[in-house]
Amino acid sequence: MKLYGYFILPYTQFELSHRQLVNIERSMATRRTVRTVMADVYFRVLLYIVQNADKDIIRDDEIVATVWGPNAPEKIFRELNSIIDDLLIMLAPIGADNYPLITRVGNEGYKIKSDMIEPLYSQSPACAA
């Protein structure tokens, strides 16, 4: 079995290979595809957060170190909250606007509602029945 993505909230599918968020209860018109350079940052931040949903706090420095690496611009720590806000705006049209998925924890980092995240797996051709 291969990790395909994550099921987020009641209706959102986060597809890793296609880098897109899909509301599975709405039409194809609501599909949000992540393709631009800036969007790649949003994709990597969201991926890191959902992969670490079981943590009590996902620390700012962990996110920055993983997404930007050791050469991250110092101002990125100030911009991280804006990036998270933009992610929440991105999630809103596909059904995430009424659910507190990601919340800020003081000045330390973020908490994601882990009970709203479920890994999705696909069967490899070798495993198909």
Side-chain angles (χ1 to χ4, degrees), residues 56-60 77 80-81 102-111:
D56 287 332
I57 298 174
I58 304 166
R59 300 180 52 82
D60 292 346
F77 285 97
L80 186 57
N81 197 47
I102 303 169
T103 54
R104 183 79 179 148
V105 179
N107 290 325
E108 298 179 57
Y110 297 88
K111 174 69 181 156

Side-chain angles (χ1 to χ4, degrees), residues 40-106:
D40 182 59
V41 169
Y42 295 120
F43 171 80
R44 291 184 290 137
V45 169
L46 182 59
L47 178 60
Y48 185 78
I49 288 173
V50 297
Q51 287 175 330
N52 292 278
D54 59 335
K55 291 185 175 184
D56 287 332
I57 298 174
I58 304 166
R59 300 180 52 82
D60 292 346
D61 56 345
E62 296 170 21
I63 297 169
V64 169
T66 301
V67 174
W68 288 274
N71 298 322
E74 190 168 316
K75 68 178 183 169
I76 203 64
F77 285 97
R78 291 188 302 269
E79 294 176 7
L80 186 57
N81 197 47
S82 294
I83 291 169
I84 299 294
D85 287 345
D86 289 347
L87 278 173
L88 293 172
I89 290 167
M90 195 180 304
L91 285 162
I94 56 169
D97 51 343
N98 295 321
Y99 304 96
L101 178 64
I102 303 169
T103 54
R104 183 79 179 148
V105 179

Side-chain angles (χ1 to χ4, degrees), residues 9-57:
L9 308 165
Y11 311 115
T12 305
Q13 190 168 296
F14 179 31
E15 298 175 354
L16 302 181
S17 64
H18 297 111
R19 294 181 172 221
Q20 60 189 2
L21 297 165
V22 179
N23 182 309
I24 59 174
E25 284 203 343
R26 295 190 183 175
S27 71
M28 293 297 285
T30 63
R31 186 173 287 236
R32 299 284 189 230
T33 304
V34 180
R35 293 178 195 257
T36 65
V37 174
M38 270 309 283
D40 182 59
V41 169
Y42 295 120
F43 171 80
R44 291 184 290 137
V45 169
L46 182 59
L47 178 60
Y48 185 78
I49 288 173
V50 297
Q51 287 175 330
N52 292 278
D54 59 335
K55 291 185 175 184
D56 287 332
I57 298 174

